[in-house]
Amino acid sequence: MASLDASSPLALVFTDIEGSSVLWEEHQDDFLSAFEAHNALLCDACQSIGGQVIHQEGDAFFCVFAHPQAALRFALQSQESLASYDWSQHQLPDLRVRLGLHYGLAHEHGGNYFGSEVNRASRICAAGHGGQILASEELLEACGELGDGVRVTDLSRHRLRGLSEPQHLFQVTRAHWPQQEWPLLRTLDDVPTNLPAQVTSFVGREEDLERLAALLTDADHRLITLTGPGGSGKSRLAQQAAAHALERFPDGVFWISLAEFTTVEAVPAAIMEALRLQPQAGQSPAQAIAAHAHERQLLLVLDNFEHLVEAADFLAALLRLSAEVRLLVTSREVLHLRGEQLLHVLPLGLPEPPLNMQTLSQYDSVHLFLHRAREVSEDFAITADNAAAIAEICLRLDGIPLALELAAAWVRVYPPLRILQRLGGRSQVLTSRVRGVAERQRTVADTIDWSYRLLSPEEQRTLRRLSVFQGGFFLEAAEAVCGPDAVEHVMTLYDKSLLYAKEALGQQRFHMLETIREFAQEKLVEAGEADETRRSHWTYYADWAEGCGPDGMRQRDGGYWTLVALKAPNVEAAVRQAARQGHMAEAESLLALLQDELEVTPSAAERLLPLLDEVLRQVPGHEGQRWPAIAASVRLVCLYHGWRYEEGLSRAEEAFALADATGDDRLRYACAFWASGLATRVDRAACLRWTRELGRWVQTPHDRGNLAARLWRAGDAQGALAQADRAVAESRDADDPRSRCFVITQALTVYLEVGEFRRGRRHVAELVQLVKGPLSADPAVAQYGWRTAIPLVARCGDTAEAARLARDHMAVIAGLRTLEPGLRTSQLLTSVLVCTSGGLWNLAAELADQHLGPWPIADLPDGLAPMAGANMARIYARGGDRQQAMAAIAPLLQTQRQFDEEGDIENGAWLYSVAEVLRVCGKLAEAVQVTLVAVRLQSLWPFRKLLCEELLELLAAEMPADAFARAKAEGEAMTGAQAFALGRKTLGV
């Protein structure tokens, strides 16, 4: 059964048999049969009313209903069924079951439901007695009219185990039931505490709560400090954890808020007041508190300690005087006391691609936004129209709870897209209008400013200057931009929760939340330090880029590509600043790094194009310099990765002219290479022309391998073979195994595509030796070498060896963590497809199931989905999965396509996929017609033509000869556009 929609509130029901432990002990066999009858009664009642039994744990049931009225009917019906059942047939007294009902949002994952509202429903059930139904105020309000005969008794508000705020409970019975009263509820109302009542529900952070609960249970952890940036939810987490710990500390849990105090002496005084203590003569406050704590189990929660850190000495003295004292502290700054156990409270979990409207609410940041939005607009929900805006709001606000709550409060005025547009700066969207909110929490800027004012002048200066970094920085970069004292200040800012760190390449890489960075940037401008700092920033990255040039680090190992991905945001920012300050000639090395960024993150293309346009607007007067040509070449790369082929081809002449003006053959080569690549997709004549231009500037075996690949794409099979042979021969003496690997890979591609399988087979052993030997530690480079080797080996008849290579290759790519998710999915897809090229259809299906799952296309950018879907459709079709094949081909069929009847490799390939789907759908005649057109469109590319001819042979064997002949004749008279239209019509698109 499909899971209920967790983006809307659900009715949550827990049940539990009273005294089940004793019944198991004393009546094991009889209770087992009674237990089975109990289960059947509850399951039947749940399913008959339209609910779902989510899970059973011991004798407890957890059920979910879409409507609160259904949950209430289930509870009443269950109690009546249990009461009327003859339990004496099991030699047992009546089974007494308690039920707890609540209504609220829940996380759904893998068919189960989680979250604070689920916990609340469980605690409500635990407070009751056998035969009793307890319902929350939220559920009864959502039910509306209850109908005749239903009696509701107000049991007032109660503190329940694990909940920070009292819960208003009601008892529900039918008027004719003989029992209408039960003993007092099992609550925590007798535990002394001054925990503040909460007016909003606690959302998310289940893992943090579990970890904190474990720390509070362990007597060895007597001082626990929750650290994190302002607004991250430290206080709220501490309150919730303290409420969960009430049973653990029966002598009291006391909340001491320090936000409004300004002196160190206020800390012991506030604790004494909370405990209602008066110091005796000659006693210090620490001695008085220690004496009171003797042989008691109590917890002191000290909130907002960061501005009184000098009082940490008092806490140290208190811990020395008493072994019983337990302290839970919230502070933006670490206390640095012996025995201090730190728990960093990070922002809430953020949405990750691919975004899905149905699963978006599983992320804590989105879950909180929804909760708070529904408090001001009860009908608010995630829809197809607002899902992307809600996700972007959570990302822009770094998942900071305070910021999310402030933004969500405005849904009663603005839709999410409008809220998103108004974010940033001093926008009123991030200002609280709630009365009684502390000034430092009235806006996000106020809470950050609170932390900023607690810094020393030197620390403030460092924070300001660090704001120029985008996407994080290493300590070396911080020193270059902020000065020699940067390391000490960075560590201090880290301790004060204004920075956070992640390990990268074996060292700590520091990051600043975007909300803090925006604040610090404003301070940087106010201090008049912006221009100087930004120049230091781009100068550092320009120097680093220079060191990555041909004579430097550009070894293209795994570490280099990881660094490129990590530094990309800073490189982009450095290019932008160099351009705005008119220093592109000094920063041209940065532009080359943008091209390397596109190798790791092709989706950056659209983001980089406006930046490159800004750079190229400065070209007039600088023709003949290198940087305009580099920028123009990189723009061609962006247009290629952005699938904007016609636009890219229109820019090619301008780019080549800039390169030609420099007299630099390498720049001429680069522009011709990307121009020919763009032309292969849209204009075969232009492709031939640019490929011939490319051949004029070849200098290395690597270049010649690229030329060979471009020639076969242009349809010149013999020219491609000649260049491939020559490239392999010239690279034989190369010292660089990466270059040798690349050249052999390009040559194998040509040998495969022109059908010279045996000619390429003799080079496979060397390629495998390279990727398993010198390049084994460099999977980002080595993985490309497998792709043509696998189908080539298979086509030579060694299918077992090809299968071994394919499995090794998939394992390598699956382990690549430096690639963005969409790129990794695309490469896994490509690697599956090479198996189909070798005729290894069953292996392709096996590897797709193992590494990609049922629908990998959702991970890909929109522009790749039609092509990738068409490729996957072939695998599904050969495996007989008609439904999946239809779903995969649909994005392609929904596109508008232009056909070149003189040779169209791309459209020929996609028509081949359409034909495969037509075949699995039983439309054999149409499949023959479309395949015939695909053969003609790919007549210049022998291997692509061969794949279509193999499909034709398969179809011929499945059809009567006369039907096949008729379909073949019709296909030979059909144009590409007609074949595509036939596929769309036949498949219902």
mmCIF file of all heavy atoms in Angstrom, residues 45-77:
data_model
loop_
_atom_site.group_PDB
_atom_site.id
_atom_site.type_symbol
_atom_site.label_atom_id
_atom_site.label_comp_id
_atom_site.label_asym_id
_atom_site.label_seq_id
_atom_site.Cartn_x
_atom_site.Cartn_y
_atom_site.Cartn_z
ATOM 1 N N ALA A 45 -9.770 -3.542 12.249
ATOM 2 C CA ALA A 45 -10.398 -2.247 12.497
ATOM 3 C C ALA A 45 -9.674 -1.136 11.736
ATOM 4 O O ALA A 45 -10.304 -0.260 11.140
ATOM 5 C CB ALA A 45 -10.402 -1.950 13.996
ATOM 6 N N CYS A 46 -8.343 -1.175 11.727
ATOM 7 C CA CYS A 46 -7.559 -0.140 11.046
ATOM 8 C C CYS A 46 -7.821 -0.155 9.547
ATOM 9 O O CYS A 46 -8.103 0.875 8.936
ATOM 10 C CB CYS A 46 -6.072 -0.344 11.349
ATOM 11 S SG CYS A 46 -4.989 0.869 10.569
ATOM 12 N N GLN A 47 -7.740 -1.340 8.938
ATOM 13 C CA GLN A 47 -7.896 -1.432 7.496
ATOM 14 C C GLN A 47 -9.319 -1.138 7.045
ATOM 15 O O GLN A 47 -9.537 -0.549 5.982
ATOM 16 C CB GLN A 47 -7.459 -2.821 7.029
ATOM 17 C CG GLN A 47 -5.965 -3.059 7.210
ATOM 18 C CD GLN A 47 -5.544 -4.493 6.937
ATOM 19 O OE1 GLN A 47 -6.354 -5.314 6.536
ATOM 20 N NE2 GLN A 47 -4.269 -4.797 7.188
ATOM 21 N N SER A 48 -10.307 -1.509 7.862
ATOM 22 C CA SER A 48 -11.699 -1.263 7.476
ATOM 23 C C SER A 48 -12.023 0.224 7.438
ATOM 24 O O SER A 48 -12.941 0.644 6.738
ATOM 25 C CB SER A 48 -12.639 -1.976 8.451
ATOM 26 O OG SER A 48 -12.579 -1.379 9.746
ATOM 27 N N ILE A 49 -11.256 1.035 8.166
ATOM 28 C CA ILE A 49 -11.521 2.473 8.234
ATOM 29 C C ILE A 49 -10.578 3.248 7.308
ATOM 30 O O ILE A 49 -10.660 4.460 7.192
ATOM 31 C CB ILE A 49 -11.418 2.951 9.703
ATOM 32 C CG1 ILE A 49 -12.484 2.249 10.544
ATOM 33 C CG2 ILE A 49 -11.601 4.446 9.849
ATOM 34 C CD1 ILE A 49 -12.407 2.522 12.023
ATOM 35 N N GLY A 50 -9.687 2.550 6.629
ATOM 36 C CA GLY A 50 -8.817 3.217 5.664
ATOM 37 C C GLY A 50 -7.484 3.654 6.223
ATOM 38 O O GLY A 50 -6.784 4.452 5.593
ATOM 39 N N GLY A 51 -7.089 3.129 7.375
ATOM 40 C CA GLY A 51 -5.790 3.487 7.942
ATOM 41 C C GLY A 51 -4.693 2.518 7.528
ATOM 42 O O GLY A 51 -4.940 1.552 6.792
ATOM 43 N N GLN A 52 -3.498 2.789 7.984
ATOM 44 C CA GLN A 52 -2.361 1.914 7.714
ATOM 45 C C GLN A 52 -1.662 1.566 9.018
ATOM 46 O O GLN A 52 -1.375 2.458 9.831
ATOM 47 C CB GLN A 52 -1.362 2.588 6.775
ATOM 48 C CG GLN A 52 -1.873 2.800 5.369
ATOM 49 C CD GLN A 52 -0.803 3.375 4.451
ATOM 50 O OE1 GLN A 52 0.386 3.287 4.754
ATOM 51 N NE2 GLN A 52 -1.219 3.960 3.345
ATOM 52 N N VAL A 53 -1.398 0.271 9.219
ATOM 53 C CA VAL A 53 -0.571 -0.154 10.340
ATOM 54 C C VAL A 53 0.879 0.011 9.903
ATOM 55 O O VAL A 53 1.350 -0.697 9.009
ATOM 56 C CB VAL A 53 -0.856 -1.621 10.735
ATOM 57 C CG1 VAL A 53 0.088 -2.045 11.857
ATOM 58 C CG2 VAL A 53 -2.307 -1.782 11.170
ATOM 59 N N ILE A 54 1.569 0.961 10.507
ATOM 60 C CA ILE A 54 2.943 1.265 10.075
ATOM 61 C C ILE A 54 3.918 0.240 10.628
ATOM 62 O O ILE A 54 4.759 -0.287 9.907
ATOM 63 C CB ILE A 54 3.337 2.687 10.502
ATOM 64 C CG1 ILE A 54 2.351 3.704 9.913
ATOM 65 C CG2 ILE A 54 4.752 3.000 10.055
ATOM 66 C CD1 ILE A 54 2.200 3.629 8.409
ATOM 67 N N HIS A 55 3.807 -0.040 11.911
ATOM 68 C CA HIS A 55 4.648 -1.110 12.463
ATOM 69 C C HIS A 55 4.121 -1.553 13.817
ATOM 70 O O HIS A 55 3.331 -0.867 14.465
ATOM 71 C CB HIS A 55 6.119 -0.693 12.555
ATOM 72 C CG HIS A 55 6.393 0.416 13.522
ATOM 73 N ND1 HIS A 55 6.365 0.267 14.877
ATOM 74 C CD2 HIS A 55 6.728 1.715 13.308
ATOM 75 C CE1 HIS A 55 6.661 1.414 15.464
ATOM 76 N NE2 HIS A 55 6.872 2.317 14.533
ATOM 77 N N GLN A 56 4.559 -2.752 14.215
ATOM 78 C CA GLN A 56 4.301 -3.281 15.551
ATOM 79 C C GLN A 56 5.628 -3.449 16.262
ATOM 80 O O GLN A 56 6.610 -3.892 15.662
ATOM 81 C CB GLN A 56 3.610 -4.641 15.473
ATOM 82 C CG GLN A 56 2.157 -4.601 15.042
ATOM 83 C CD GLN A 56 1.580 -5.995 14.991
ATOM 84 O OE1 GLN A 56 1.373 -6.538 13.933
ATOM 85 N NE2 GLN A 56 1.332 -6.576 16.157
ATOM 86 N N GLU A 57 5.668 -3.066 17.512
ATOM 87 C CA GLU A 57 6.868 -3.274 18.323
ATOM 88 C C GLU A 57 6.413 -3.858 19.649
ATOM 89 O O GLU A 57 5.748 -3.188 20.439
ATOM 90 C CB GLU A 57 7.609 -1.963 18.544
ATOM 91 C CG GLU A 57 8.942 -2.163 19.258
ATOM 92 C CD GLU A 57 9.780 -0.888 19.274
ATOM 93 O OE1 GLU A 57 9.505 0.018 18.472
ATOM 94 O OE2 GLU A 57 10.688 -0.825 20.113
ATOM 95 N N GLY A 58 6.734 -5.145 19.852
ATOM 96 C CA GLY A 58 6.191 -5.819 21.026
ATOM 97 C C GLY A 58 4.675 -5.918 20.889
ATOM 98 O O GLY A 58 4.154 -6.403 19.882
ATOM 99 N N ASP A 59 3.957 -5.435 21.905
ATOM 100 C CA ASP A 59 2.490 -5.477 21.854
ATOM 101 C C ASP A 59 1.908 -4.123 21.454
ATOM 102 O O ASP A 59 0.706 -3.904 21.587
ATOM 103 C CB ASP A 59 1.932 -5.903 23.217
ATOM 104 C CG ASP A 59 2.401 -4.978 24.337
ATOM 105 O OD1 ASP A 59 3.595 -5.009 24.655
ATOM 106 O OD2 ASP A 59 1.565 -4.217 24.845
ATOM 107 N N ALA A 60 2.755 -3.190 20.966
ATOM 108 C CA ALA A 60 2.307 -1.849 20.619
ATOM 109 C C ALA A 60 2.096 -1.732 19.113
ATOM 110 O O ALA A 60 2.875 -2.269 18.320
ATOM 111 C CB ALA A 60 3.331 -0.816 21.083
ATOM 112 N N PHE A 61 1.029 -1.033 18.735
ATOM 113 C CA PHE A 61 0.723 -0.737 17.341
ATOM 114 C C PHE A 61 0.949 0.748 17.080
ATOM 115 O O PHE A 61 0.678 1.581 17.952
ATOM 116 C CB PHE A 61 -0.755 -1.042 17.029
ATOM 117 C CG PHE A 61 -1.024 -2.445 16.578
ATOM 118 C CD1 PHE A 61 -0.891 -3.511 17.450
ATOM 119 C CD2 PHE A 61 -1.411 -2.703 15.278
ATOM 120 C CE1 PHE A 61 -1.146 -4.801 17.048
ATOM 121 C CE2 PHE A 61 -1.671 -3.993 14.846
ATOM 122 C CZ PHE A 61 -1.536 -5.058 15.743
ATOM 123 N N PHE A 62 1.426 1.061 15.851
ATOM 124 C CA PHE A 62 1.478 2.442 15.381
ATOM 125 C C PHE A 62 0.710 2.493 14.076
ATOM 126 O O PHE A 62 1.071 1.828 13.099
ATOM 127 C CB PHE A 62 2.925 2.893 15.183
ATOM 128 C CG PHE A 62 3.075 4.258 14.532
ATOM 129 C CD1 PHE A 62 2.150 5.272 14.735
ATOM 130 C CD2 PHE A 62 4.147 4.531 13.697
ATOM 131 C CE1 PHE A 62 2.284 6.513 14.135
ATOM 132 C CE2 PHE A 62 4.307 5.763 13.091
ATOM 133 C CZ PHE A 62 3.358 6.753 13.308
ATOM 134 N N CYS A 63 -0.374 3.282 14.049
ATOM 135 C CA CYS A 63 -1.238 3.389 12.879
ATOM 136 C C CYS A 63 -1.324 4.845 12.428
ATOM 137 O O CYS A 63 -1.205 5.769 13.247
ATOM 138 C CB CYS A 63 -2.648 2.875 13.180
ATOM 139 S SG CYS A 63 -2.694 1.210 13.877
ATOM 140 N N VAL A 64 -1.547 5.032 11.141
ATOM 141 C CA VAL A 64 -1.644 6.370 10.564
ATOM 142 C C VAL A 64 -2.920 6.465 9.731
ATOM 143 O O VAL A 64 -3.263 5.529 8.992
ATOM 144 C CB VAL A 64 -0.405 6.676 9.689
ATOM 145 C CG1 VAL A 64 -0.585 7.984 8.944
ATOM 146 C CG2 VAL A 64 0.840 6.740 10.541
ATOM 147 N N PHE A 65 -3.604 7.597 9.847
ATOM 148 C CA PHE A 65 -4.826 7.851 9.097
ATOM 149 C C PHE A 65 -4.721 9.210 8.429
ATOM 150 O O PHE A 65 -4.146 10.147 8.989
ATOM 151 C CB PHE A 65 -6.050 7.847 10.026
ATOM 152 C CG PHE A 65 -6.295 6.529 10.711
ATOM 153 C CD1 PHE A 65 -5.584 6.185 11.866
ATOM 154 C CD2 PHE A 65 -7.216 5.621 10.212
ATOM 155 C CE1 PHE A 65 -5.790 4.966 12.497
ATOM 156 C CE2 PHE A 65 -7.437 4.407 10.848
ATOM 157 C CZ PHE A 65 -6.722 4.078 11.982
ATOM 158 N N ALA A 66 -5.295 9.315 7.245
ATOM 159 C CA ALA A 66 -5.283 10.594 6.541
ATOM 160 C C ALA A 66 -6.210 11.608 7.198
ATOM 161 O O ALA A 66 -5.972 12.810 7.138
ATOM 162 C CB ALA A 66 -5.674 10.395 5.077
ATOM 163 N N HIS A 67 -7.289 11.136 7.864
ATOM 164 C CA HIS A 67 -8.292 12.028 8.436
ATOM 165 C C HIS A 67 -8.434 11.779 9.936
ATOM 166 O O HIS A 67 -8.508 10.615 10.366
ATOM 167 C CB HIS A 67 -9.645 11.839 7.748
ATOM 168 C CG HIS A 67 -9.584 11.996 6.258
ATOM 169 N ND1 HIS A 67 -9.368 13.212 5.660
ATOM 170 C CD2 HIS A 67 -9.675 11.073 5.257
ATOM 171 C CE1 HIS A 67 -9.348 13.048 4.341
ATOM 172 N NE2 HIS A 67 -9.529 11.762 4.079
ATOM 173 N N PRO A 68 -8.494 12.822 10.746
ATOM 174 C CA PRO A 68 -8.597 12.634 12.200
ATOM 175 C C PRO A 68 -9.878 11.926 12.616
ATOM 176 O O PRO A 68 -9.888 11.170 13.593
ATOM 177 C CB PRO A 68 -8.529 14.063 12.741
ATOM 178 C CG PRO A 68 -8.901 14.941 11.586
ATOM 179 C CD PRO A 68 -8.431 14.241 10.370
ATOM 180 N N GLN A 69 -10.996 12.170 11.877
ATOM 181 C CA GLN A 69 -12.245 11.485 12.235
ATOM 182 C C GLN A 69 -12.090 9.973 12.113
ATOM 183 O O GLN A 69 -12.635 9.207 12.917
ATOM 184 C CB GLN A 69 -13.393 11.962 11.335
ATOM 185 C CG GLN A 69 -13.712 13.439 11.451
ATOM 186 C CD GLN A 69 -12.931 14.273 10.444
ATOM 187 O OE1 GLN A 69 -11.872 13.851 9.964
ATOM 188 N NE2 GLN A 69 -13.459 15.452 10.135
ATOM 189 N N ALA A 70 -11.321 9.527 11.083
ATOM 190 C CA ALA A 70 -11.102 8.091 10.910
ATOM 191 C C ALA A 70 -10.304 7.516 12.071
ATOM 192 O O ALA A 70 -10.584 6.408 12.545
ATOM 193 C CB ALA A 70 -10.380 7.831 9.587
ATOM 194 N N ALA A 71 -9.308 8.253 12.536
ATOM 195 C CA ALA A 71 -8.514 7.780 13.675
ATOM 196 C C ALA A 71 -9.384 7.632 14.916
ATOM 197 O O ALA A 71 -9.252 6.665 15.678
ATOM 198 C CB ALA A 71 -7.370 8.749 13.935
ATOM 199 N N LEU A 72 -10.273 8.591 15.153
ATOM 200 C CA LEU A 72 -11.148 8.525 16.324
ATOM 201 C C LEU A 72 -12.122 7.348 16.202
ATOM 202 O O LEU A 72 -12.381 6.635 17.184
ATOM 203 C CB LEU A 72 -11.900 9.837 16.485
ATOM 204 C CG LEU A 72 -12.614 10.040 17.828
ATOM 205 C CD1 LEU A 72 -11.630 9.953 18.989
ATOM 206 C CD2 LEU A 72 -13.329 11.386 17.851
ATOM 207 N N ARG A 73 -12.666 7.127 15.000
ATOM 208 C CA ARG A 73 -13.552 5.968 14.805
ATOM 209 C C ARG A 73 -12.808 4.676 15.072
ATOM 210 O O ARG A 73 -13.347 3.739 15.690
ATOM 211 C CB ARG A 73 -14.113 5.965 13.378
ATOM 212 C CG ARG A 73 -15.168 7.002 13.108
ATOM 213 C CD ARG A 73 -16.012 6.631 11.879
ATOM 214 N NE ARG A 73 -15.202 6.419 10.683
ATOM 215 C CZ ARG A 73 -14.812 7.389 9.862
ATOM 216 N NH1 ARG A 73 -15.143 8.655 10.119
ATOM 217 N NH2 ARG A 73 -14.096 7.114 8.779
ATOM 218 N N PHE A 74 -11.545 4.602 14.624
ATOM 219 C CA PHE A 74 -10.730 3.411 14.878
ATOM 220 C C PHE A 74 -10.567 3.178 16.378
ATOM 221 O O PHE A 74 -10.701 2.045 16.859
ATOM 222 C CB PHE A 74 -9.365 3.570 14.213
ATOM 223 C CG PHE A 74 -8.324 2.613 14.722
ATOM 224 C CD1 PHE A 74 -8.358 1.269 14.388
ATOM 225 C CD2 PHE A 74 -7.300 3.062 15.562
ATOM 226 C CE1 PHE A 74 -7.401 0.386 14.865
ATOM 227 C CE2 PHE A 74 -6.347 2.185 16.045
ATOM 228 C CZ PHE A 74 -6.387 0.842 15.696
ATOM 229 N N ALA A 75 -10.258 4.248 17.122
ATOM 230 C CA ALA A 75 -10.041 4.090 18.556
ATOM 231 C C ALA A 75 -11.310 3.600 19.256
ATOM 232 O O ALA A 75 -11.271 2.671 20.089
ATOM 233 C CB ALA A 75 -9.583 5.416 19.153
ATOM 234 N N LEU A 76 -12.450 4.200 18.944
ATOM 235 C CA LEU A 76 -13.713 3.813 19.584
ATOM 236 C C LEU A 76 -14.108 2.399 19.190
ATOM 237 O O LEU A 76 -14.513 1.587 20.042
ATOM 238 C CB LEU A 76 -14.810 4.808 19.192
ATOM 239 C CG LEU A 76 -14.634 6.231 19.737
ATOM 240 C CD1 LEU A 76 -15.576 7.199 19.033
ATOM 241 C CD2 LEU A 76 -14.854 6.262 21.252
ATOM 242 N N GLN A 77 -14.004 2.081 17.908
ATOM 243 C CA GLN A 77 -14.363 0.741 17.441
ATOM 244 C C GLN A 77 -13.456 -0.311 18.054
ATOM 245 O O GLN A 77 -13.905 -1.403 18.436
ATOM 246 C CB GLN A 77 -14.287 0.688 15.913
ATOM 247 C CG GLN A 77 -14.640 -0.671 15.311
ATOM 248 C CD GLN A 77 -14.595 -0.644 13.798
ATOM 249 O OE1 GLN A 77 -15.030 0.325 13.166
ATOM 250 N NE2 GLN A 77 -14.060 -1.695 13.182
#
